[in-house]
Amino acid sequence: MTLSMFLLWIVVGSITGWGAGYVLKEGGYGLIGDISLGAIGALVGSGLFLYLGMASPGLAVSLLVAFVGAAALIFAQHTFWAVPA
């Protein structure tokens, strides 16, 4: 893993978190909270992908894995651990 790939995962996760917060206006956790969830999800998803030995063959697959990881964490958090407003 290179530093540029790590930073790319954070950027993709942040954008995913922002988008999820925008879509889930009433279920969001604010701009910083949603962006943080997205970035953490992208890092966890991409790290899990690498840990399982599935090295990414290219940028497009890395972006997709980061996006799916971020979206999965945000979805799980909003579904299972939602804080009542």
Side-chain angles (χ1 to χ4, degrees):
M1 171 175 57
T2 64
L3 178 61
S4 62
M5 192 60 68
F6 179 79
L7 294 174
L8 185 66
W9 291 340
I10 291 174
V11 169
V12 169
S14 298
I15 292 169
T16 303
W18 173 80
Y22 183 76
V23 171
L24 303 170
K25 290 179 184 175
E26 293 182 15
Y29 294 95
L31 183 63
I32 301 299
D34 289 332
I35 288 175
S36 297
L37 276 175
I40 291 168
L43 291 174
V44 169
S46 299
L48 182 62
F49 193 75
L50 289 175
Y51 177 75
L52 293 175
M54 296 182 259
S56 173
L59 180 63
V61 174
S62 293
L63 290 172
L64 180 65
V65 168
F67 177 80
V68 169
L73 180 63
I74 291 167
F75 174 76
Q77 205 283 325
H78 285 279
T79 301
F80 300 112
W81 299 287
V83 177

